[in-house]
Amino acid sequence: SMTPNDAWKEVTGEEENPNLITEEKYNELVAAHVMFKDMAADPYLASAGIASDWPCGRGCYQSADGGFIIWFGEEDQLRIMCMAKGFILNEVFDRLNTALKAVEAIDGITFATSNKYGYVTSCPSNLGTGMRASVHVKVPNLTSDGTDAKAKAAAKPLGLSVRGTGGEHTPIGADGTIDLSPSNRLFITEAEIITKLYNGIKLLKEKEDA
């Protein structure tokens, strides 16, 4: 938790936030991609009011094995992530599904949803399922010029987006590793996203090996 003790006391009546982390620990978690960056430093988030009252109400949960993370108070109230090394997409999806059911069963938690548009999110690009499924994959031939331009050109007709290994606006890996994910969130089901990712990886690898 990042909520300072004075704000914690004002809300809860308790003298100290028992889970308060130090600035050093926060920076360590950000560097490890476990925690999100300072939202108040982003002019777009600040102007939209999304970074209001930073850092109050912000924090994260990480499972013991490091493969499951929940962000509290980032762009949306909750951002739930499940990660694993390997090639079996369904294992990650099944764990995420189990966790989502557990979160949704907590008393007092409801999510803003629309029968037509799905989940209502801060970023319009996440409207719909609100789910982004991605893999890190090496494509050294498509990135041989040191950029992701060829990878993006190959991925776009497949309905896939290419990012750097650290997320949006970050560079690709020195070994040609990219972050690959289906572009759509709206008018598509969660299962269809996983299927699209699986098929897209297969087709992209064919272009890589051509």
Side-chain angles (χ1 to χ4, degrees):
S1 173
M2 296 177 61
T3 303
N5 286 326
D6 55 348
W8 183 268
K9 182 178 180 180
E10 182 180 344
V11 175
T12 68
E14 300 173 359
E15 289 294 329
E16 295 184 349
N17 177 354
N19 298 308
L20 181 63
I21 59 174
T22 64
E23 184 175 354
E24 291 74 20
K25 183 62 176 179
Y26 167 70
N27 291 330
E28 177 187 320
L29 293 173
V30 170
H33 305 293
V34 174
M35 188 61 175
F36 46 95
K37 296 179 181 179
D38 183 348
M39 297 172 64
D42 187 315
Y44 299 104
L45 296 180
S47 64
I50 296 172
S52 298
D53 301 313
W54 174 269
C56 294
R58 273 74 176 196
C60 74
Y61 164 83
Q62 184 180 31
S63 63
D65 65 0
F68 182 74
I69 296 172
I70 300 179
W71 284 355
F72 299 90
E74 196 231 8
E75 288 189 26
D76 292 300
Q77 289 175 314
L78 293 179
R79 180 168 293 195
I80 302 171
M81 294 164 279
C82 191
M83 301 163 287
K85 292 182 178 181
F87 305 96
I88 312 301
L89 298 180
N90 279 355
E91 289 183 357
V92 183
F93 183 66
D94 289 346
R95 183 179 186 184
L96 176 64
N97 187 43
T98 299
L100 288 175
K101 288 179 179 177
V103 171
E104 290 174 340
I106 298 173
D107 286 341
I109 290 185
T110 56
F111 294 93
T113 60
S114 162
N115 290 333
K116 183 175 182 180
Y117 298 111
Y119 288 95
V120 180
T121 57
S122 294
C123 181
S125 68
N126 287 327
L127 280 173
T129 62
M131 187 181 88
R132 177 177 176 269
S134 70
V135 294
H136 284 187
V137 59
K138 290 182 183 179
V139 284
N141 292 330
L142 290 174
T143 57
S144 59
D145 61 355
T147 74
D148 59 9
K150 292 180 182 178
K152 284 183 174 179
K156 188 173 182 180
L158 305 176
L160 302 173
S161 297
V162 172
R163 300 183 180 187
T165 53
E168 281 187 298
H169 314 303
T170 63
I172 60 174
D175 59 355
T177 299
I178 60 171
D179 180 292
L180 191 69
S181 66
S183 304
N184 290 356
R185 317 277 193 277
L186 191 62
F187 303 126
I188 187 172
T189 68
E190 289 87 345
E192 286 171 339
I193 288 176
I194 298 298
T195 301
K196 195 174 187 69
L197 179 60
Y198 177 85
N199 292 334
I201 295 169
K202 183 179 178 181
L203 293 172
L204 188 69
K205 286 297 289 181
E206 290 176 359
K207 293 190 177 186
E208 163 70 12
D209 298 335

